[in-house]
Amino acid sequence: MPLTVETRTPADLTPTELYALLRLRVDVFVVEQACPYPELDGRDLVPGTRHVWAHEDGELLGTVRVLDVDGDRPVVGRVATAPAARGRGVAGALIEHALGLCRAGTPVELHGQAHLEQWYERFGFVRTGDTYDEDGIPHVPMVRTPPAR
């Protein structure tokens, strides 16, 4: 069965969908990475947020969140892939889809884990500052600037 990518506004998410997305993020970021931090940050239900996820045959494979999708500087984050789906291009498909949601011509920010910097560069992101510690994990600020027309 092919990979299906879904997008919802906070208002359009069902409680079951929201629960599954949040559960995957907690499983990856808090449990797997042994990083106790406040994963629920209050931004999941803000109107300018978009939730993107991939599934196959009803199984959630990965998710990404886009903040301020219609704004002047949207932020892509909370990129999480289920362990069983890693190495299958799920995260890449989610990033591409998320970037397609952002208004054309706007820079897109991302604060990624430092070990994934080169992976994010494949999508046009470049580092914009020094490595910093976020909850015990090195992160890098990055931005994808749209090409000049």
Side-chain angles (χ1 to χ4, degrees):
M1 179 166 233
L3 181 72
T4 302
V5 177
E6 306 264 355
T7 302
R8 300 270 195 288
T9 66
D12 293 332
L13 279 169
T14 68
T16 302
E17 290 167 339
L18 180 60
Y19 179 86
L21 300 178
L22 297 176
R23 173 69 188 259
L24 176 59
R25 289 180 6 202
V26 168
D27 286 350
V28 170
F29 299 131
V30 178
V31 178
E32 180 183 334
Q33 296 179 359
C35 183
Y37 78 104
E39 168 52 28
L40 303 178
D41 62 1
R43 295 178 173 175
D44 290 304
L45 300 179
V46 174
T49 297
R50 295 297 178 275
H51 294 275
V52 181
W53 68 94
H55 61 89
E56 186 177 71
D57 198 26
E59 179 184 0
L60 178 61
L61 303 179
T63 185
V64 63
R65 177 178 78 177
V66 184
L67 301 174
D68 198 22
V69 72
D70 296 318
D72 293 333
R73 200 151 178 123
V75 180
V76 171
R78 299 299 205 264
V79 182
T81 305
R86 293 182 187 150
R88 295 178 46 196
V90 172
L94 288 170
I95 292 291
E96 291 286 352
H97 188 88
L99 291 172
L101 297 174
C102 300
R103 200 174 48 183
T106 61
V108 178
E109 289 186 28
L110 181 140
H111 298 268
Q113 293 184 7
H115 73 279
L116 295 171
E117 180 177 358
Q118 289 183 325
W119 185 80
Y120 286 118
E121 287 173 349
R122 294 182 2 196
F123 302 96
F125 286 94
V126 296
R127 179 193 280 254
T128 57
D130 295 332
T131 300
Y132 63 94
D133 180 273
E134 185 173 310
D135 301 310
I137 298 175
H139 280 70
V140 292
M142 302 183 85
V143 69
R144 180 179 182 260
T145 305
R149 294 181 193 227

